[in-house]
PDB file of all heavy atoms in Angstrom:
ATOM      1  N   LEU B  68     107.749  96.776  96.096  1.00 98.00           N
ATOM      2  CA  LEU B  68     106.731  96.151  96.949  1.00 98.00           C
ATOM      3  C   LEU B  68     105.414  95.983  96.195  1.00 98.00           C
ATOM      4  O   LEU B  68     104.817  94.906  96.191  1.00 98.00           O
ATOM      5  CB  LEU B  68     106.507  96.996  98.213  1.00 98.00           C
ATOM      6  CG  LEU B  68     105.406  96.506  99.141  1.00 98.00           C
ATOM      7  CD1 LEU B  68     105.797  95.198  99.827  1.00 98.00           C
ATOM      8  CD2 LEU B  68     105.065  97.563 100.192  1.00 98.00           C
ATOM      9  N   VAL B  69     104.976  97.067  95.566  1.00 98.00           N
ATOM     10  CA  VAL B  69     103.658  97.006  94.918  1.00 98.00           C
ATOM     11  C   VAL B  69     103.738  96.426  93.502  1.00 98.00           C
ATOM     12  O   VAL B  69     102.812  95.765  93.041  1.00 98.00           O
ATOM     13  CB  VAL B  69     102.956  98.389  94.905  1.00 98.00           C
ATOM     14  CG1 VAL B  69     102.756  98.883  96.324  1.00 98.00           C
ATOM     15  CG2 VAL B  69     103.719  99.413  94.075  1.00 98.00           C
ATOM     16  N   GLY B  70     104.855  96.668  92.826  1.00 98.00           N
ATOM     17  CA  GLY B  70     104.978  96.211  91.437  1.00 98.00           C
ATOM     18  C   GLY B  70     105.322  94.742  91.306  1.00 98.00           C
ATOM     19  O   GLY B  70     105.066  94.130  90.264  1.00 98.00           O
ATOM     20  N   VAL B  71     105.889  94.168  92.373  1.00 98.00           N
ATOM     21  CA  VAL B  71     106.325  92.767  92.312  1.00 98.00           C
ATOM     22  C   VAL B  71     105.550  91.880  93.295  1.00 98.00           C
ATOM     23  O   VAL B  71     105.234  90.742  92.988  1.00 98.00           O
ATOM     24  CB  VAL B  71     107.840  92.667  92.596  1.00 98.00           C
ATOM     25  CG1 VAL B  71     108.302  91.212  92.616  1.00 98.00           C
ATOM     26  CG2 VAL B  71     108.629  93.462  91.558  1.00 98.00           C
ATOM     27  N   TYR B  72     105.229  92.447  94.471  1.00 98.00           N
ATOM     28  CA  TYR B  72     104.663  91.612  95.542  1.00 98.00           C
ATOM     29  C   TYR B  72     103.158  91.819  95.795  1.00 98.00           C
ATOM     30  O   TYR B  72     102.403  90.865  95.867  1.00 98.00           O
ATOM     31  CB  TYR B  72     105.420  91.869  96.851  1.00 98.00           C
ATOM     32  CG  TYR B  72     106.820  91.320  96.853  1.00 98.00           C
ATOM     33  CD1 TYR B  72     107.891  92.101  96.421  1.00 98.00           C
ATOM     34  CD2 TYR B  72     107.088  90.017  97.271  1.00 98.00           C
ATOM     35  CE1 TYR B  72     109.194  91.603  96.412  1.00 98.00           C
ATOM     36  CE2 TYR B  72     108.381  89.510  97.266  1.00 98.00           C
ATOM     37  CZ  TYR B  72     109.424  90.306  96.833  1.00 98.00           C
ATOM     38  OH  TYR B  72     110.689  89.803  96.827  1.00 98.00           O
ATOM     39  N   LEU B  73     102.762  93.074  95.973  1.00 98.00           N
ATOM     40  CA  LEU B  73     101.379  93.331  96.412  1.00 98.00           C
ATOM     41  C   LEU B  73     100.824  94.572  95.734  1.00 98.00           C
ATOM     42  O   LEU B  73     101.087  95.670  96.194  1.00 98.00           O
ATOM     43  CB  LEU B  73     101.364  93.495  97.950  1.00 98.00           C
ATOM     44  CG  LEU B  73     100.021  93.553  98.650  1.00 98.00           C
ATOM     45  CD1 LEU B  73      99.297  92.209  98.492  1.00 98.00           C
ATOM     46  CD2 LEU B  73     100.183  93.860 100.136  1.00 98.00           C
ATOM     47  N   PRO B  74     100.117  94.445  94.626  1.00 98.00           N
ATOM     48  CA  PRO B  74      99.570  93.208  94.059  1.00 98.00           C
ATOM     49  C   PRO B  74     100.487  92.521  93.040  1.00 98.00           C
ATOM     50  O   PRO B  74     100.231  91.394  92.665  1.00 98.00           O
ATOM     51  CB  PRO B  74      98.305  93.703  93.365  1.00 98.00           C
ATOM     52  CG  PRO B  74      98.647  95.080  92.903  1.00 98.00           C
ATOM     53  CD  PRO B  74      99.541  95.646  93.972  1.00 98.00           C
ATOM     54  N   GLY B  75     101.538  93.200  92.552  1.00 98.00           N
ATOM     55  CA  GLY B  75     102.397  92.564  91.568  1.00 98.00           C
ATOM     56  C   GLY B  75     102.073  92.974  90.142  1.00 98.00           C
ATOM     57  O   GLY B  75     101.838  94.153  89.870  1.00 98.00           O
ATOM     58  N   LYS B  76     102.018  92.009  89.256  1.00 97.00           N
ATOM     59  CA  LYS B  76     101.972  92.246  87.806  1.00 97.00           C
ATOM     60  C   LYS B  76     100.951  93.285  87.346  1.00 97.00           C
ATOM     61  O   LYS B  76     101.204  94.059  86.426  1.00 97.00           O
ATOM     62  CB  LYS B  76     101.676  90.907  87.112  1.00 97.00           C
ATOM     63  CG  LYS B  76     101.650  90.969  85.604  1.00 97.00           C
ATOM     64  CD  LYS B  76     101.424  89.580  85.023  1.00 97.00           C
ATOM     65  CE  LYS B  76     101.374  89.610  83.512  1.00 97.00           C
ATOM     66  NZ  LYS B  76     101.158  88.249  82.951  1.00 97.00           N
ATOM     67  N   TYR B  77      99.782  93.289  87.941  1.00 97.00           N
ATOM     68  CA  TYR B  77      98.711  94.148  87.424  1.00 97.00           C
ATOM     69  C   TYR B  77      98.624  95.497  88.157  1.00 97.00           C
ATOM     70  O   TYR B  77      97.641  96.224  88.022  1.00 97.00           O
ATOM     71  CB  TYR B  77      97.361  93.410  87.503  1.00 97.00           C
ATOM     72  CG  TYR B  77      97.387  92.150  86.681  1.00 97.00           C
ATOM     73  CD1 TYR B  77      97.457  90.895  87.276  1.00 97.00           C
ATOM     74  CD2 TYR B  77      97.386  92.207  85.285  1.00 97.00           C
ATOM     75  CE1 TYR B  77      97.522  89.741  86.522  1.00 97.00           C
ATOM     76  CE2 TYR B  77      97.460  91.064  84.520  1.00 97.00           C
ATOM     77  CZ  TYR B  77      97.522  89.828  85.145  1.00 97.00           C
ATOM     78  OH  TYR B  77      97.597  88.689  84.382  1.00 97.00           O
ATOM     79  N   CYS B  78      99.663  95.839  88.911  1.00 98.00           N
ATOM     80  CA  CYS B  78      99.673  97.077  89.693  1.00 98.00           C
ATOM     81  C   CYS B  78      99.731  98.319  88.809  1.00 98.00           C
ATOM     82  O   CYS B  78     100.490  98.381  87.845  1.00 98.00           O
ATOM     83  CB  CYS B  78     100.888  97.067  90.618  1.00 98.00           C
ATOM     84  SG  CYS B  78     101.139  98.610  91.494  1.00 98.00           S
ATOM     85  N   LEU B  79      98.936  99.310  89.182  1.00 97.00           N
ATOM     86  CA  LEU B  79      99.045 100.640  88.583  1.00 97.00           C
ATOM     87  C   LEU B  79      99.146 101.620  89.754  1.00 97.00           C
ATOM     88  O   LEU B  79      98.145 101.951  90.379  1.00 97.00           O
ATOM     89  CB  LEU B  79      97.820 100.941  87.717  1.00 97.00           C
ATOM     90  CG  LEU B  79      97.818 102.280  86.995  1.00 97.00           C
ATOM     91  CD1 LEU B  79      98.999 102.388  86.043  1.00 97.00           C
ATOM     92  CD2 LEU B  79      96.516 102.463  86.228  1.00 97.00           C
ATOM     93  N   LEU B  80     100.370 102.039  90.051  1.00 97.00           N
ATOM     94  CA  LEU B  80     100.590 102.905  91.212  1.00 97.00           C
ATOM     95  C   LEU B  80     100.009 104.289  90.946  1.00 97.00           C
ATOM     96  O   LEU B  80     100.381 104.954  89.978  1.00 97.00           O
ATOM     97  CB  LEU B  80     102.095 103.001  91.504  1.00 97.00           C
ATOM     98  CG  LEU B  80     102.521 103.804  92.726  1.00 97.00           C
ATOM     99  CD1 LEU B  80     101.889 103.243  93.998  1.00 97.00           C
ATOM    100  CD2 LEU B  80     104.039 103.813  92.851  1.00 97.00           C
ATOM    101  N   GLN B  81      99.092 104.721  91.805  1.00 96.00           N
ATOM    102  CA  GLN B  81      98.392 105.995  91.582  1.00 96.00           C
ATOM    103  C   GLN B  81      98.760 107.063  92.604  1.00 96.00           C
ATOM    104  O   GLN B  81      98.435 108.234  92.415  1.00 96.00           O
ATOM    105  CB  GLN B  81      96.878 105.754  91.591  1.00 96.00           C
ATOM    106  CG  GLN B  81      96.431 104.882  90.422  1.00 96.00           C
ATOM    107  CD  GLN B  81      94.953 104.554  90.444  1.00 96.00           C
ATOM    108  OE1 GLN B  81      94.342 104.481  91.502  1.00 96.00           O
ATOM    109  NE2 GLN B  81      94.382 104.346  89.274  1.00 96.00           N
ATOM    110  N   GLY B  82      99.398 106.665  93.682  1.00 96.00           N
ATOM    111  CA  GLY B  82      99.793 107.676  94.669  1.00 96.00           C
ATOM    112  C   GLY B  82     100.594 107.050  95.788  1.00 96.00           C
ATOM    113  O   GLY B  82     100.419 105.868  96.103  1.00 96.00           O
ATOM    114  N   VAL B  83     101.496 107.840  96.360  1.00 97.00           N
ATOM    115  CA  VAL B  83     102.287 107.393  97.510  1.00 97.00           C
ATOM    116  C   VAL B  83     102.345 108.552  98.497  1.00 97.00           C
ATOM    117  O   VAL B  83     102.567 109.691  98.108  1.00 97.00           O
ATOM    118  CB  VAL B  83     103.727 106.993  97.097  1.00 97.00           C
ATOM    119  CG1 VAL B  83     104.565 106.653  98.322  1.00 97.00           C
ATOM    120  CG2 VAL B  83     103.716 105.819  96.130  1.00 97.00           C
ATOM    121  N   ASP B  84     102.134 108.234  99.765  1.00 97.00           N
ATOM    122  CA  ASP B  84     102.193 109.253 100.816  1.00 97.00           C
ATOM    123  C   ASP B  84     103.048 108.662 101.938  1.00 97.00           C
ATOM    124  O   ASP B  84     102.667 107.652 102.523  1.00 97.00           O
ATOM    125  CB  ASP B  84     100.777 109.561 101.310  1.00 97.00           C
ATOM    126  CG  ASP B  84     100.779 110.631 102.386  1.00 97.00           C
ATOM    127  OD1 ASP B  84     101.788 111.337 102.538  1.00 97.00           O
ATOM    128  OD2 ASP B  84      99.763 110.754 103.098  1.00 97.00           O
ATOM    129  N   VAL B  85     104.217 109.245 102.189  1.00 97.00           N
ATOM    130  CA  VAL B  85     105.114 108.650 103.180  1.00 97.00           C
ATOM    131  C   VAL B  85     105.665 109.702 104.141  1.00 97.00           C
ATOM    132  O   VAL B  85     105.709 110.884 103.831  1.00 97.00           O
ATOM    133  CB  VAL B  85     106.318 107.925 102.520  1.00 97.00           C
ATOM    134  CG1 VAL B  85     105.873 106.726 101.732  1.00 97.00           C
ATOM    135  CG2 VAL B  85     107.136 108.879 101.684  1.00 97.00           C
ATOM    136  N   LYS B  86     106.074 109.215 105.290  1.00 97.00           N
ATOM    137  CA  LYS B  86     106.787 110.020 106.280  1.00 97.00           C
ATOM    138  C   LYS B  86     108.096 109.298 106.609  1.00 97.00           C
ATOM    139  O   LYS B  86     108.115 108.065 106.736  1.00 97.00           O
ATOM    140  CB  LYS B  86     105.953 110.162 107.561  1.00 97.00           C
ATOM    141  CG  LYS B  86     104.639 110.915 107.363  1.00 97.00           C
ATOM    142  CD  LYS B  86     104.869 112.413 107.316  1.00 97.00           C
ATOM    143  CE  LYS B  86     103.565 113.194 107.256  1.00 97.00           C
ATOM    144  NZ  LYS B  86     102.922 113.115 105.933  1.00 97.00           N
ATOM    145  N   TYR B  87     109.143 110.079 106.767  1.00 97.00           N
ATOM    146  CA  TYR B  87     110.451 109.517 107.128  1.00 97.00           C
ATOM    147  C   TYR B  87     110.647 109.671 108.625  1.00 97.00           C
ATOM    148  O   TYR B  87     110.789 110.781 109.131  1.00 97.00           O
ATOM    149  CB  TYR B  87     111.562 110.228 106.349  1.00 97.00           C
ATOM    150  CG  TYR B  87     111.394 110.115 104.855  1.00 97.00           C
ATOM    151  CD1 TYR B  87     110.930 111.190 104.102  1.00 97.00           C
ATOM    152  CD2 TYR B  87     111.677 108.923 104.194  1.00 97.00           C
ATOM    153  CE1 TYR B  87     110.757 111.079 102.730  1.00 97.00           C
ATOM    154  CE2 TYR B  87     111.514 108.807 102.824  1.00 97.00           C
ATOM    155  CZ  TYR B  87     111.046 109.892 102.095  1.00 97.00           C
ATOM    156  OH  TYR B  87     110.870 109.773 100.745  1.00 97.00           O
ATOM    157  N   SER B  88     110.657 108.557 109.333  1.00 95.00           N
ATOM    158  CA  SER B  88     110.699 108.597 110.795  1.00 95.00           C
ATOM    159  C   SER B  88     112.114 108.645 111.342  1.00 95.00           C
ATOM    160  O   SER B  88     112.371 109.299 112.350  1.00 95.00           O
ATOM    161  CB  SER B  88     110.015 107.357 111.377  1.00 95.00           C
ATOM    162  OG  SER B  88     108.781 107.152 110.761  1.00 95.00           O
ATOM    163  N   LYS B  89     113.024 107.923 110.694  1.00 97.00           N
ATOM    164  CA  LYS B  89     114.411 107.849 111.181  1.00 97.00           C
ATOM    165  C   LYS B  89     115.353 107.766 109.981  1.00 97.00           C
ATOM    166  O   LYS B  89     114.950 107.304 108.906  1.00 97.00           O
ATOM    167  CB  LYS B  89     114.603 106.599 112.051  1.00 97.00           C
ATOM    168  CG  LYS B  89     113.840 106.655 113.366  1.00 97.00           C
ATOM    169  CD  LYS B  89     114.244 105.529 114.290  1.00 97.00           C
ATOM    170  CE  LYS B  89     113.428 105.564 115.577  1.00 97.00           C
ATOM    171  NZ  LYS B  89     113.464 106.850 116.254  1.00 97.00           N
ATOM    172  N   PRO B  90     116.604 108.178 110.180  1.00 97.00           N
ATOM    173  CA  PRO B  90     117.554 108.123 109.053  1.00 97.00           C
ATOM    174  C   PRO B  90     117.933 106.685 108.701  1.00 97.00           C
ATOM    175  O   PRO B  90     117.922 105.800 109.550  1.00 97.00           O
ATOM    176  CB  PRO B  90     118.766 108.898 109.577  1.00 97.00           C
ATOM    177  CG  PRO B  90     118.663 108.845 111.055  1.00 97.00           C
ATOM    178  CD  PRO B  90     117.205 108.792 111.381  1.00 97.00           C
ATOM    179  N   VAL B  91     118.262 106.505 107.423  1.00 98.00           N
ATOM    180  CA  VAL B  91     118.765 105.210 106.927  1.00 98.00           C
ATOM    181  C   VAL B  91     120.222 105.430 106.505  1.00 98.00           C
ATOM    182  O   VAL B  91     120.556 106.479 105.945  1.00 98.00           O
ATOM    183  CB  VAL B  91     117.920 104.729 105.734  1.00 98.00           C
ATOM    184  CG1 VAL B  91     118.517 103.459 105.119  1.00 98.00           C
ATOM    185  CG2 VAL B  91     116.476 104.476 106.165  1.00 98.00           C
ATOM    186  N   TYR B  92     121.074 104.437 106.809  1.00 98.00           N
ATOM    187  CA  TYR B  92     122.494 104.529 106.463  1.00 98.00           C
ATOM    188  C   TYR B  92     122.887 103.376 105.547  1.00 98.00           C
ATOM    189  O   TYR B  92     122.231 102.313 105.544  1.00 98.00           O
ATOM    190  CB  TYR B  92     123.349 104.479 107.737  1.00 98.00           C
ATOM    191  CG  TYR B  92     123.046 105.602 108.706  1.00 98.00           C
ATOM    192  CD1 TYR B  92     122.326 105.365 109.880  1.00 98.00           C
ATOM    193  CD2 TYR B  92     123.463 106.908 108.436  1.00 98.00           C
ATOM    194  CE1 TYR B  92     122.028 106.395 110.764  1.00 98.00           C
ATOM    195  CE2 TYR B  92     123.167 107.955 109.318  1.00 98.00           C
ATOM    196  CZ  TYR B  92     122.456 107.687 110.477  1.00 98.00           C
ATOM    197  OH  TYR B  92     122.164 108.715 111.337  1.00 98.00           O
TER     198      TYR B  92
END
Side-chain angles (χ1 to χ4, degrees):
Chain B
L68 176 69
V69 300
V71 177
Y72 289 90
L73 189 65
K76 182 177 179 180
Y77 300 106
C78 173
L79 182 60
L80 183 58
Q81 295 177 331
V83 175
D84 181 16
V85 294
K86 296 281 186 286
Y87 301 104
S88 312
K89 292 190 182 307
V91 174
Y92 300 106

